[in-house]
Amino acid sequence: MPRLLPSLALLLVFFSSCGPRLSPLTQRMIEDQSWQESELKRIQFYLSEDLVLTREFRKGNTEIRNGQVKMLDGRQVEQMVFKRNTPGVFVFSPKTQRMAVSFDANDENFLVFGPNPKAGNRYTLLASDWNRRSGSVTYAGKTWRVNSSDAYASLMIPLKRLRDNEVRGKVARGRKLK
């Protein structure tokens, strides 16, 4: 059994390195590549960390679709959970330097991300009414609360860096005397 452990550890390292390397999406990356909406629609996005949206039900408002209903401090709440590395797609750009990204089969269910100067201009979750504890986001046409610890949830993209720069040209074959 002791001989098996190093082999298992080696296999784990090998298989974990086979997946795509995810890098944070930044405003500079978008500008350097001159990506337009048509290119952004062809990129697979992922969430950098878990994200939990919460909303409180009002009386008579018990419609439950994609979330869970829980009792929190005697209140009935619905939660929408997005796990780390959840894949998403670009839906539209509501304005300059903003991206609506859907992590659901329905394009109407999206979250908005934008460059955050406090996070190196990474595209992080945008919310309004931020205070020390939470912010407010719109998802699926409803207002949800998001914990302030999720403020830096950002978009990640699979990025394959080439070791050598791609250079166009040809190699001279040489010339011999006749």
Side-chain angles (χ1 to χ4, degrees), residues 47-65:
L47 272 177
S48 65
E49 55 195 71
D50 291 352
L51 180 60
V52 180
L53 308 182
T54 306
R55 76 182 187 93
E56 186 175 340
F57 282 111
R58 304 278 189 273
K59 287 185 179 179
N61 188 5
T62 59
E63 178 184 341
I64 305 167
R65 287 191 180 172

Side-chain angles (χ1 to χ4, degrees), residues 75-177:
R75 298 172 294 149
Q76 192 175 22
V77 297
E78 179 181 11
Q79 285 188 332
M80 187 66 201
V81 178
F82 301 86
K83 293 287 189 185
R84 178 178 186 247
N85 291 332
T86 299
V89 296
F90 174 88
V91 180
F92 68 97
S93 182
K95 62 181 186 176
T96 305
Q97 296 186 357
R98 300 290 184 265
M99 286 184 174
V101 176
S102 177
F103 298 95
D104 191 316
N106 184 349
D107 282 353
E108 299 297 316
N109 300 344
F110 59 84
L111 294 169
V112 179
F113 295 82
N116 183 339
K118 294 179 182 177
N121 277 333
R122 290 180 179 191
Y123 268 66
T124 60
L125 179 67
L126 294 180
S128 59
D129 305 325
W130 279 112
N131 59 38
R132 290 180 174 254
R133 300 180 70 197
S134 65
S136 186
V137 297
T138 300
Y139 178 77
K142 298 173 185 165
T143 302
W144 301 76
R145 299 302 294 171
V146 61
N147 193 319
S148 62
S149 63
D150 294 334
Y152 291 103
S154 58
L155 292 176
M156 307 288 284
I157 61 171
L159 188 61
K160 182 178 180 183
R161 296 191 189 273
L162 299 177
R163 293 206 172 145
D164 298 331
N165 290 333
E166 196 172 315
V167 178
R168 290 184 182 208
K170 60 182 186 179
V171 176
R173 297 163 98 190
R175 181 175 176 186
K176 294 184 179 180
L177 290 173

